[in-house]
Amino acid sequence: MTHAIPDPAAREGVAELVDRLRANRLPPPAERRAIRKRADVTLDDVAKALGVEKMTVSRWERGVRQPWPKNRAAYICLLQALAKLDHDLGWRIRETTAAHADQETAE
């Protein structure tokens, strides 16, 4: 259940806090791996992009370790970008497939 926040300043403050919390939150370890794999990115690709060892990324994805603060923000940013890329590509693939199916039906 959501509640309307009538005060615009409070509504903006709440939105900013939620955005900040969301921006600093890592998905669960299994989801980190799923995001990477859906984007067809290797552990080595992620490790090179972040300047860490491949085993380090593997540990993050297995939940054995958490990223150090100096790597955390970059890792979150990368995961968000990969998830968005997956989402954008997914839409394009579905749209292309649907358009192709429509074209075949019309013929």
Side-chain angles (χ1 to χ4, degrees):
M1 178 176 174
T2 58
H3 299 283
I5 302 172
D7 177 22
R11 189 170 44 247
E12 185 175 322
V14 168
E16 287 175 9
L17 174 60
V18 169
D19 287 345
R20 191 176 67 230
L21 290 172
R22 190 175 290 137
N24 291 317
R25 183 140 316 158
L26 275 168
E31 183 63 18
R32 298 171 201 172
R33 181 173 189 262
I35 290 168
R36 177 182 58 77
K37 289 187 132 315
R38 281 193 307 265
D40 198 27
V41 174
T42 67
L43 282 170
D44 198 45
D45 293 334
V46 173
K48 285 179 182 175
L50 298 174
V52 298
E53 297 293 323
K54 184 167 94 170
M55 185 56 71
T56 299
V57 178
S58 175
R59 288 180 182 126
W60 295 345
E61 288 185 355
R62 291 180 287 131
V64 174
R65 296 269 190 262
Q66 293 298 317
W68 287 88
K70 69 177 188 171
N71 300 116
R72 185 181 177 86
Y75 187 44
I76 291 169
C77 183
L78 177 64
L79 290 173
Q80 289 172 341
L82 292 177
K84 183 175 180 351
L85 176 67
D86 176 58
H87 178 266
D88 291 349
L89 289 175
W91 279 108
R92 285 193 204 122
I93 290 168
R94 285 188 286 280
E95 289 170 359
T96 303
T97 304
H100 188 266
D102 290 345
Q103 184 180 10
E104 286 183 351
T105 304
E107 292 176 353

